Amino acid sequence: NWSFKKSDAQITITADKDPGFLITNILPGDFNYDGKLDVLVMGQKDPKNNADEEILMRVYLGNGNDAFDENYIKIPSAKTSQPIPFDYNGNMTTDLLGYMYENNDESGLFVWKNLYGPEVQTGDLFEVSPIALNETVTKMCKWAEPHSNAFVDLNDLFVTCQENSNSPVTFQIWTNSKQKGFEFSRAGYLPKGVGQISFADMDGDGTIDMVFPVCTNNQCQIHVTYNKQIPLCSKETSKNCRQSANLCVADDNFQFDLKADACLFILDSGFKGTLPVPIRIGDYNLDGYPDLLVISDSGHVSLLQSIPCNKADCRRTFSKVSTGAAILNSINKATTAAFLDLDEDGTFDIMVLESRSNSDSTARNVQMIHNNYFNDAFFKPFGVNYPGAAFKFTVLDTSGHKRANQVAQYSQAGYVSLQAPYSLFGLGRTNNYVEELFVGTTRNQTRHFSSFSGVIPNSQLIIVPYQPFGVDNPSTWSIKLYIHPGDWIPWVLLTLVSATGILAIVVFGLNWAEKREDELEKRKALHVINFDAL
C-alpha cells in the first residue's frame, strides 16, 4: 500500500493575488543551468472561451531543497499555441520556440534564447528574437491548436500545421545540421481526424516511429507510422545496412510510411483550456516493445500489449490486456491516464485521473495502479530532465539475433504531456549484457554522442554529459550505474544452498559406497590368497 503526503515544494497561485491567471501547462527543467529543478508555468485569463489570447509565462526557480522561490521570473508572453522547449544553439540549455505575443506577424516564429549558462547566472533569463529558419517554409505552416510538436531524434524538430479547423493537418520535419542550424527536411499530410501524435520505437529497429489515433464518424483507429531507415546489419544482411557501431550516424533518406474498433477519448472538454488526450506509450512488461494506454469515450482505460503480427504486411500489432487488469476495467470516468514509475522499481505503473460526479468541476480523483509484472530493479532520484536526449542500444535475443532500439527523453512538453523525467526501456529476453549503448545530446559539435559497452541489465544508468570550457568532445562524460538486488535474491540463495547441500550428500554417499566396495574387494582378495595357501 502506498500513501502520499503534501510536499513542501509548492507554488501557490490564487485568484486574489493573481487574477486572470489560470494554469494551462507546466514545464519542468533546469532553466538557469544550476543543476536544480525549476518549473515554467503557463497560464491564460480565459483559456476555455478564448484560447487564442495571451499566454503568460513565469519561471519558478528551485533551491534544491524541495522548494521553489515564490519570487518568480516573468518572461515575455506567447500567443496562439503553447511554446515548446528545445535546444536552439546546441549548448544544452533549454530554449523555447513559439509565437511571440507582441508580434503582429501571425506566421513569424520566435525563439526564447536562454541566456544562462556555466559562466552567466544573472540578468534576464530569456532573450526573444526571430528564429533563423527558411521563412518561405515557415509561413506555409501555422501551428495546429492543439499541436503535437516535438523535439525528438527524427532528426530533430517535428511540428504539426493547420490553417483552420476545417483545413487538413500537415507536418514538417526540420533536421538539426549543427553549425547550420535547423534545415527543412520534408513535409506531409496526416489523415483526416488525426489526434495527438506520440513517438516511440514501436518495432524495435532503432528508429523513432509515430503513433496517433484517427477518428471519423465516431469510429477510431490507432495508426502506427514506421520510420524507414537503413536497417541494422545482421547475419543474413551485410550490404546496405548500418553497423552497430554506427547507430548514431544520421540517415538523411529516412521516410515515414503513411499508407481496434472503439471511439477513443481524445480531448478533455472539462479542462479550462485546450487539453488533448494522447495515446500514452510505455513498455509495461519490459519485453523491449512499447505498449499503449488509451481511454475510450465511455471513460474506460485499456492497456494494449504489443505482440508479433502473423501477417506478411505488418510488423507488430496490439491486443488488449485482460489478465490482471480488473482494476482498469472497473474505472468508468477516466479523463487522463499516464505511465510512471510510482515505487521506483524499474517498471511502469499507471496513474489515472477520474472526473467527479459534477461534470462542470475540473477537479480530478487520482488512482495509482501498481505494476506487479516484474520487479528486480530500482531508480535513484538524480538530476533534472533534459529535452532532446536520445538513447540507442543493441542486445542479443535468446535466438542470437542482434536487435537495435531507440528511446527519446522528454520529447514533448505541451498541453500537460505527462512524460516521465527519465527514459525507461525493457530489453526483452536476453542472456547477455547490453552490447552497445549510445547516448546523444544536442551539442553542436563534431561528436555529440558517446558510447558505452557491457552495460548490466536491470540497472539504472545516470549519464553526466559534463564538458569543461574549451572541450568540444564527449571525453569528459561520465556514467553512473546502480544495481539493486531484487526480491528474489533470498530465494536464489536458498535454492543455491539447498542444491549445494543435496550435491554434498550425493557426493558423500557415493564416496561412502565406493569405500565400502573397496573394502569388500580387499576381503575377497585376502580370502583367495588364504585358500591358495592351504
Side-chain angles (χ1 to χ4, degrees):
N1 296 325
W2 295 90
S3 61
F4 296 88
K5 66 177 182 179
K6 188 176 181 180
S7 171
D8 294 332
Q10 59 181 336
I11 297 173
T12 304
I13 300 177
T14 59
D16 55 342
K17 293 183 179 180
D18 292 280
F21 191 96
L22 292 177
I23 298 176
T24 56
N25 194 25
I26 296 177
L27 273 64
D30 181 13
F31 293 98
N32 62 343
Y33 210 81
D34 63 350
K36 302 170 185 176
L37 178 66
D38 313 313
V39 292
L40 188 153
V41 181
M42 299 182 186
Q44 293 177 281
K45 295 180 180 179
D46 187 13
K48 191 173 183 64
N49 300 315
N50 190 8
D52 294 334
E53 66 180 358
E54 179 182 10
I55 301 176
L56 304 170
M57 296 189 291
R58 56 180 67 168
V59 174
Y60 293 84
L61 300 179
N63 60 9
N65 295 319
D66 296 333
F68 295 98
D69 188 354
E70 290 290 340
N71 298 318
Y72 59 83
I73 300 176
K74 186 178 180 180
I75 62 178
S77 300
K79 65 178 179 180
T80 308
S81 300
Q82 293 182 5
I84 63 171
F86 79 128
D87 186 2
Y88 174 64
N89 45 15
N91 59 358
M92 290 191 68
T93 58
T94 303
D95 309 306
L96 300 174
L97 178 65
Y99 296 101
M100 186 179 179
Y101 177 70
E102 297 179 355
N103 180 52
N104 295 325
D105 186 2
E106 296 292 336
S107 61
L109 283 174
F110 282 74
V111 57
W112 281 252
K113 293 181 182 179
N114 194 323
L115 302 179
Y116 277 41
E119 307 297 329
V120 180
Q121 290 290 315
T122 58
D124 294 335
L125 184 58
F126 288 99
E127 177 186 64
V128 185
S129 61
I131 189 170
L133 295 177
N134 188 332
E135 292 186 2
T136 304
V137 180
T138 57
K139 288 184 177 180
M140 297 171 58
C141 173
K142 179 184 178 182
W143 283 11
E145 172 60 24
H147 59 68
S148 298
N149 299 353
F151 186 51
V152 64
D153 189 19
L154 288 173
N155 296 293
D156 260 334
L157 191 61
F158 179 93
V159 296
T160 54
C161 319
Q162 188 178 29
E163 188 64 28
N164 54 63
S165 59
N166 297 321
S167 59
V169 180
T170 62
F171 69 88
Q172 290 184 353
I173 297 177
W174 297 75
T175 58
N176 190 346
S177 301
K178 296 184 180 180
Q179 300 301 330
K180 295 181 180 179
F182 291 91
E183 296 182 338
F184 176 73
S185 175
R186 64 206 63 200
Y189 285 89
L190 293 168
K192 182 180 180 181
V194 63
Q196 287 297 102
I197 301 174
S198 303
F199 300 88
D201 184 2
M202 301 303 296
D203 55 349
D205 65 347
T207 61
I208 295 293
D209 310 309
M210 292 193 293
V211 183
F212 51 85
V214 175
C215 298
T216 55
N217 299 324
N218 293 328
Q219 293 293 323
C220 293
Q221 292 180 330
I222 296 175
H223 287 226
V224 178
T225 303
Y226 293 106
N227 188 342
K228 291 185 176 181
Q229 293 193 24
I230 301 174
L232 184 69
C233 294
S234 62
K235 297 179 181 178
E236 294 79 12
T237 59
S238 58
K239 296 182 179 180
N240 298 324
C241 59
R242 191 197 307 260
Q243 297 292 334
S244 58
N246 298 326
L247 284 182
C248 289
V249 177
D251 180 7
D252 295 331
N253 296 319
F254 74 94
Q255 58 180 320
F256 285 100
D257 186 10
L258 283 169
K259 293 180 181 178
D261 297 331
C263 190
L264 300 181
F265 184 73
I266 60 175
L267 188 67
D268 187 357
S269 58
F271 183 76
K272 291 186 177 180
T274 304
L275 184 60
V277 181
I279 295 175
R280 308 293 183 181
I281 301 178
D283 187 2
Y284 90 98
N285 56 357
L286 301 180
D287 64 348
Y289 295 96
D291 310 300
L292 306 179
L293 192 65
V294 299
I295 301 177
S296 66
D297 61 346
S298 60
H300 290 89
V301 182
S302 296
L303 179 61
L304 306 181
Q305 179 181 349
S306 176
I307 59 175
C309 183
N310 297 324
K311 297 181 180 179
D313 58 346
C314 73
R315 307 183 191 183
R316 307 284 297 181
T317 186
F318 297 91
S319 66
K320 183 177 179 180
V321 177
S322 56
T323 304
I327 185 65
L328 283 177
N329 298 331
S330 65
I331 299 174
N332 56 15
K333 295 182 180 179
T335 59
T336 301
F339 287 108
L340 81 163
D341 188 1
L342 172 64
D343 49 355
E344 296 183 349
D345 65 347
T347 58
F348 270 133
D349 308 304
I350 297 176
M351 178 184 68
V352 180
L353 302 184
E354 288 186 286
S355 62
R356 296 184 176 179
S357 57
N358 184 4
S359 59
D360 295 332
S361 174
T362 58
R364 298 289 185 263
N365 295 325
V366 181
Q367 283 206 39
M368 311 300 297
I369 301 173
H370 185 247
N371 183 354
N372 290 320
Y373 181 81
F374 197 67
N375 183 13
D376 70 343
F378 82 119
F379 277 93
K380 179 179 180 180
F382 192 97
V384 178
N385 51 353
Y386 159 65
F391 306 89
K392 292 186 178 183
F393 61 93
T394 60
V395 292
L396 285 176
D397 59 20
T398 53
S399 301
H401 296 97
K402 181 174 287 190
R403 177 169 55 86
N405 284 76
Q406 181 176 1
V407 181
Q409 177 176 292
Y410 196 35
S411 60
Q412 292 174 299
Y415 306 97
V416 196
S417 61
L418 293 179
Q419 290 196 356
Y422 43 76
S423 297
L424 193 156
F425 42 85
L427 303 179
R429 294 187 178 275
T430 178
N431 299 325
N432 209 336
Y433 296 97
V434 177
E435 292 197 337
E436 297 104 354
L437 171 67
F438 293 85
V439 181
T441 66
T442 57
R443 289 189 182 275
N444 284 348
Q445 56 191 31
T446 303
R447 186 176 175 86
H448 61 281
F449 61 90
S450 184
S451 61
F452 307 92
S453 59
V455 178
I456 301 175
N458 300 329
S459 60
Q460 181 192 9
L461 295 178
I462 296 176
I463 311 297
V464 184
Y466 170 72
Q467 291 183 197
F469 181 76
V471 177
D472 58 356
N473 59 73
S475 60
T476 58
W477 294 14
S478 62
I479 181 173
K480 299 179 183 292
L481 187 146
Y482 295 91
I483 301 177
H484 181 71
D487 295 338
W488 42 264
I489 291 296
W491 296 103
V492 173
L493 180 61
L494 178 61
T495 303
L496 179 62
V497 172
S498 301
T500 304
I502 293 173
L503 290 176
I505 293 173
V506 171
V507 171
F508 178 79
L510 293 176
N511 184 54
W512 177 80
E514 185 177 1
K515 286 184 176 180
R516 183 182 179 187
E517 187 175 351
D518 290 343
E519 289 292 335
L520 292 175
E521 291 291 338
K522 288 181 180 180
R523 290 180 182 180
K524 288 181 180 180
L526 182 61
H527 179 72
V528 171
I529 294 173
N530 292 337
F531 180 79
D532 291 341
L534 293 174

